[in-house]
Amino acid sequence: MHTVWKGSISFGLVTIPIKLHTATENKDIKLRQLHKKCHTPINYKKVCPDCDEEVKNEDIVKAYEYAKNKFVVLDAEDLEQLKKEQEDKAVEIIDFVKLEEIDPIYFEKSYFLAPDSGGNKAYGLLREGLVQSGKIGVAKIIIRSKEQLAIVRVYENGLMMETIHFPDEVRKMEDVPNVPQEQKIVKKELDAALMLIDQLTVSFDPDNYQDEYRHALMNLIEKKKAGEEVVTSTEKAKEASNVTDIMSALQASIDKTKKKKAPAKKKTAKTKKNA
């Protein structure tokens, strides 16, 4: 499993060297965009609309737009130094809370925590401490140049870290338009709704759920492949043609060379025989 971050996590005076591994993966089916006419994949270029020219990566700088079309340009060196200063800090658990106190809207991405060299004992201590207390740790960490609030909790037989949003990153419900205020509920309708909820209530088992759309899309793709309903871009066809032409030219050159050398060999053999 790929390591996305290495460092240490601490609570009090206890420090645990750790490795971070992504706990989830995106299984979306990626579809390419082709030119309908020739089925060639579409390319995307970075173009400056003012200069009307393609811009290379080395000619791009980062900036903050503080007003419409007004920017503060940030040097790569300044950003790198700031990033290094923050990343050198260890992850420190600053509080312990109960998991149910955090609303799911705050949760963002999950990571498995694995102990690095020499960290097994402290890792086990933190894991057992969280189990016995029924608490989770709240910490801060820098990942990909962004400071993240995170929680550390026990998952199965290990520790998991989940990044969570800062409060100012969560929008307020009152800003959502057209949310109805208190409604007068008809008792019969409420009773029917409660009965339906009761009938559909089960113990949560994640294996009971799957991405129906993704499976249906993959089945469609496989059926089209089996029925040979596939297309080949003309760009690829041209490349194959060029390879064939090059091979033909090389073979012709080899054959031509053999023909030129053949008489010379006969002449040499005849000379040796006369000698």
Side-chain angles (χ1 to χ4, degrees):
M1 192 177 287
H2 177 65
T3 300
V4 297
W5 188 89
K6 283 182 69 174
S8 62
I9 187 167
S10 64
F11 62 107
L13 299 177
V14 180
T15 300
I16 314 165
I18 58 163
K19 293 179 181 179
L20 215 60
H21 307 277
T22 306
T24 59
E25 59 180 323
N26 187 340
K27 290 209 169 184
D28 284 350
I29 298 171
K30 295 181 180 179
L31 301 178
R32 294 290 304 274
Q33 291 186 324
L34 309 181
H35 184 194
K36 186 175 180 180
K37 179 181 177 181
C38 64
H39 299 124
T40 300
I42 302 300
N43 292 327
Y44 295 91
K45 296 180 179 179
K46 294 176 182 176
V47 178
C48 173
D50 184 51
C51 303
D52 193 25
E53 62 181 38
E54 188 176 350
V55 183
K56 297 178 181 178
N57 287 337
E58 56 265 29
D59 296 324
I60 296 176
V61 296
K62 291 186 178 181
Y64 174 75
E65 187 174 13
Y66 64 91
K68 185 67 175 177
N69 289 328
K70 292 186 179 294
F71 304 92
V72 174
V73 176
L74 301 169
D75 295 331
E77 294 78 11
D78 292 337
L79 291 172
E80 189 60 33
Q81 180 59 32
L82 187 62
K83 176 183 172 184
K84 189 176 187 307
E85 288 173 1
Q86 297 299 321
E87 285 185 338
D88 284 346
K89 296 179 180 178
V91 182
E92 181 182 3
I93 294 178
I94 48 183
D95 291 308
F96 288 95
V97 301
K98 291 183 177 180
L99 180 60
E100 55 268 27
E101 293 175 342
I102 303 176
D103 192 280
I105 195 173
Y106 285 93
F107 289 93
E108 187 179 15
K109 193 172 179 64
S110 302
Y111 298 90
F112 292 130
L113 291 177
D116 207 349
S117 302
N120 286 1
K121 186 175 181 179
Y123 183 95
L125 176 64
L126 176 58
R127 178 178 57 191
E128 189 59 27
L130 294 177
V131 169
Q132 294 289 333
S133 66
K135 303 287 178 63
I136 63 170
V138 179
K140 283 186 177 182
I141 184 175
I142 298 286
I143 302 177
R144 298 186 182 93
S145 304
K146 183 181 186 299
E147 184 175 62
Q148 300 265 191
L149 194 60
I151 62 110
V152 178
R153 67 184 181 92
V154 175
Y155 178 77
E156 295 184 355
N157 67 331
L159 292 176
M160 170 176 279
M161 187 188 81
E162 296 184 69
T163 54
I164 62 177
H165 294 288
F166 284 100
D168 59 357
E169 294 178 317
V170 178
R171 292 175 176 173
K172 298 185 182 302
M173 190 67 202
E174 54 260 35
D175 295 334
V176 180
N178 304 320
V179 175
Q181 299 302 315
E182 277 192 41
Q183 298 288 304
K184 186 175 180 180
I185 306 297
V186 178
K187 188 176 184 307
K188 280 186 178 179
E189 294 175 346
L190 179 58
D191 289 341
L194 291 172
M195 184 181 295
L196 178 61
I197 291 171
D198 185 59
Q199 289 175 349
L200 294 176
T201 298
V202 297
S203 296
F204 178 70
D205 182 357
D207 291 333
N208 290 336
Y209 310 95
Q210 60 180 345
D211 189 337
E212 301 286 353
Y213 175 77
R214 176 163 58 87
H215 286 293
L217 181 55
M218 275 309 303
N219 287 336
L220 176 62
I221 291 170
E222 291 301 326
K223 284 179 181 178
K224 282 185 170 287
K225 278 173 62 181
E228 296 187 355
E229 292 182 48
V230 296
V231 295
T232 305
S233 76
T234 54
E235 183 182 42
K236 289 183 178 178
K238 285 176 183 176
E239 288 176 2
S241 177
N242 288 339
V243 171
T244 304
D245 291 341
I246 291 170
M247 287 302 299
S248 298
L250 286 170
Q251 188 60 52
S253 299
I254 293 169
D255 293 342
K256 191 174 181 180
T257 304
K258 283 181 178 178
K259 288 178 182 178
K260 282 185 177 180
K261 287 185 176 180
K265 285 182 179 178
K266 286 181 180 177
K267 188 176 181 182
T268 304
K270 189 176 181 182
T271 304
K272 284 184 179 179
K273 189 177 180 181
N274 292 338

